[in-house]
């Protein structure tokens, strides 16, 4: 750009990276599809003379030409003939499927961002390595608890191979999509998102079970799937953020929508299958008695508390017997 330039009109790609720019040394500047414009855009949704940038006593402004689609200036829609002043910051312009940014000489530059280079190999790979080892230990420990000693070796090998294969395929798939859209794979970013997400799910599940047992509040573990969906939605947000780093609000809205949809469906299916919104029919997680915080209940009080359950079970039994009688009548006919 020459010393006489007073502004710069940049053409941006979908990631807001500068694809092309036009140095401006005098006003007005015209933009459109016609070849007599100062900046020619090959976009079927842009008019021959779509808009122009000019100045007067009040300052620099953008004026929309004869177009049916109009122009968006910093998100505000402008119709044909309308104008918008350029403020103290670069002006984002969206015309058709094209994205532009107008920068004036007096616009202040954003401060330089420091490179996020790790201080050492440990700072680069240490957290990921520790998270991977913790996930692996959690999976192997759960397998050791669930399996018989005779089948333990085979089960541990199967879990190890399945976990590594699934993790590599998952992260490689996200990396491929990220590479296609942003030209950077960011493989280790997706690995960290997966590992820390799995650790968070394991920790949330264990904490919910422990609290439910300690406080004798089964609802904490009964609705454990809600915590899982919340963490999965956060994982999805950070995965997709690698694809659209400049649209975090849209990505957050998508993650919240997925969380609400998943939770709602689980609540509906639980109610349809078990006549309750929770997931567990009874608390199945036992911990050492020393961890109990809730006061102990004597046998008489416990049996007395089961009295309301008898009416519910009798009602279900009557409904089942009534259905069986109807089926028998149909068979006899």
């Amino acid at each position: 750009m020459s010393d006489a330039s007073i502004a710069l009109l940049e053409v941006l790609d979908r990631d807001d990276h500068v694809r092309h720019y036009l140095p401006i040394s005098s006003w007005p500047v015209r933009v459109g599809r016609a070849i007599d414009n100062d900046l020619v855009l090959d976009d079927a949704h842009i008019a021959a003379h779509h808009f122009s940038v000019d100045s007067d006593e009040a300052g620099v402004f953008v004026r929309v030409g004869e177009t049916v689609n109009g122009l968006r200036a910093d998100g505000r829609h402008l119709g044909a003939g309308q104008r918008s002043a350029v403020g103290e910051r670069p002006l984002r312009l969206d015309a058709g499927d094209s994205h532009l940014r107008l920068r004036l000489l007096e616009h202040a530059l954003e401060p330089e961002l420091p490179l996020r280079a790790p201080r050492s190999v440990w700072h680069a790979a240490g957290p990921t390595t520790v998270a991977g080892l913790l996930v692996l230990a959690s999976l192997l420990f759960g397998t050791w608890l669930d399996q018989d000693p005779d089948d333990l070796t085979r089960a541990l090998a199967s879990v190890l191979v399945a976990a590594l294969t699934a993790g590599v395929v998952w992260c490689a798939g996200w990396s491929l999509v990220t590479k296609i859209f942003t030209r950077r794979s960011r493989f280790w970013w997706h690995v960290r998102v997966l590992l820390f997400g799995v650790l968070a799910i394991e920790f949330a599940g264990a904490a919910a079970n422990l609290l439910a047992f300690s406080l004798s509040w089964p609802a904490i573990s009964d609705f454990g799937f809600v915590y899982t969906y919340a963490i999965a939605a956060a994982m999805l947000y950070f995965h997709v953020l690698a694809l659209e780093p400049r649209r975090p609000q849209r990505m957050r809205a998508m993650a919240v929508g997925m969380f609400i949809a998943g939770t709602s469906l689980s609540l509906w299916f639980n109610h349809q299958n078990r006549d309750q919104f929770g997931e567990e029919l009874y608390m199945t997680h036992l911990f050492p008695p020393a961890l109990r915080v809730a006061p102990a209940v004597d046998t008489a009080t416990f049996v007395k508390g089961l009295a309301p359950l008898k009416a519910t079970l009798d009602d279900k039994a009557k409904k089942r017997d009534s259905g069986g009688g109807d089926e028998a009548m149909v068979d006899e006919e």
Side-chain angles (χ1 to χ4, degrees), residues 8 40 54 90 120 260 288:
L8 197 67
V40 180
D54 207 345
S120 64
I260 294 175

Side-chain angles (χ1 to χ4, degrees), residues 152-221:
L152 182 60
T153 303
R154 182 185 305 172
L156 291 176
S158 299
V159 169
L160 181 61
V161 172
L164 291 176
T165 303
V168 170
V169 171
W170 177 266
C171 296
W174 276 107
S175 299
L176 177 61
V177 176
T178 307
K179 180 71 173 180
I180 292 174
F181 284 95
T182 66
R183 299 182 296 276
R184 296 176 59 192
S185 64
R186 306 196 68 178
F187 176 78
W188 292 110
W189 167 271
H190 294 296
V191 170
R192 287 191 291 271
V193 170
L194 176 63
L195 293 177
F196 286 111
V198 171
L199 281 179
I201 291 174
E202 292 290 332
F203 176 80
N209 295 337
L210 178 59
L211 285 175
F213 173 81
S214 300
L215 303 176
S216 193
W217 291 348
I220 298 178
S221 60

Side-chain angles (χ1 to χ4, degrees), residues 21-83:
Y21 65 88
L22 172 69
I24 300 173
S25 56
S26 62
W27 308 111
V29 172
R30 296 180 299 172
V31 180
R33 277 194 299 144
I35 61 174
D36 59 344
N37 289 288
D38 298 290
L39 177 62
V40 180
L41 298 175
D42 183 16
D43 188 333
H45 302 287
I46 289 180
H49 301 93
H50 202 89
F51 70 92
S52 61
V53 185
D54 207 345
S55 66
D56 56 14
E57 307 81 32
V60 181
F61 61 90
V62 176
R63 185 192 301 275
V64 183
E66 293 298 325
T67 168
V68 296
N69 293 319
L71 177 73
R72 299 187 70 84
D74 277 344
R76 186 167 66 93
H77 183 268
L78 302 175
Q82 292 183 310
R83 55 183 281 177

Side-chain angles (χ1 to χ4, degrees), residues 256-277:
V256 171
M258 295 294 291
F259 165 71
I260 294 175
T263 304
S264 301
L265 287 174
S266 292
L267 292 172
W268 184 80
F269 282 122
N270 288 342
H271 188 266
Q272 291 294 316
N273 296 330
R274 305 185 183 91
D275 289 332
Q276 63 178 34
F277 292 107

Side-chain angles (χ1 to χ4, degrees), residues 84-262:
S84 176
V86 180
E88 298 179 354
R89 300 179 57 185
L91 182 65
R92 169 67 180 253
L93 301 169
D94 298 298
D97 290 330
S98 301
H99 312 291
L100 305 98
R101 180 170 56 210
L102 177 63
R103 294 171 51 195
L104 304 182
L105 188 62
E106 56 267 26
H107 285 161
L109 289 174
E110 295 291 336
E112 179 187 10
L113 297 177
L115 290 172
R116 295 182 179 179
R119 289 175 289 176
S120 64
V121 176
W122 166 251
H123 287 88
T128 304
T129 302
V130 172
L133 293 175
L134 290 175
V135 170
L136 185 60
S138 175
L139 293 175
L140 296 180
F141 179 70
T143 305
W144 176 74
L145 289 177
D146 295 336
Q147 293 294 326
D148 295 329
D150 295 338
D151 299 329
L152 182 60
T153 303
R154 182 185 305 172
L156 291 176
S158 299
V159 169
L160 181 61
V161 172
L164 291 176
T165 303
V168 170
V169 171
W170 177 266
C171 296
W174 276 107
S175 299
L176 177 61
V177 176
T178 307
K179 180 71 173 180
I180 292 174
F181 284 95
T182 66
R183 299 182 296 276
R184 296 176 59 192
S185 64
R186 306 196 68 178
F187 176 78
W188 292 110
W189 167 271
H190 294 296
V191 170
R192 287 191 291 271
V193 170
L194 176 63
L195 293 177
F196 286 111
V198 171
L199 281 179
I201 291 174
E202 292 290 332
F203 176 80
N209 295 337
L210 178 59
L211 285 175
F213 173 81
S214 300
L215 303 176
S216 193
W217 291 348
I220 298 178
S221 60
D222 201 16
F223 292 91
F225 61 90
V226 177
Y227 321 134
T228 301
Y229 281 128
I231 298 171
M235 292 173 61
L236 177 64
Y237 165 73
F238 285 107
H239 276 308
V240 181
L241 193 63
L243 302 177
E244 293 284 359
R246 299 178 184 272
R247 295 175 176 86
Q249 292 183 347
R250 187 179 301 177
M251 299 302 104
R252 282 195 292 268
M254 182 194 67
V256 171
M258 295 294 291
F259 165 71
I260 294 175

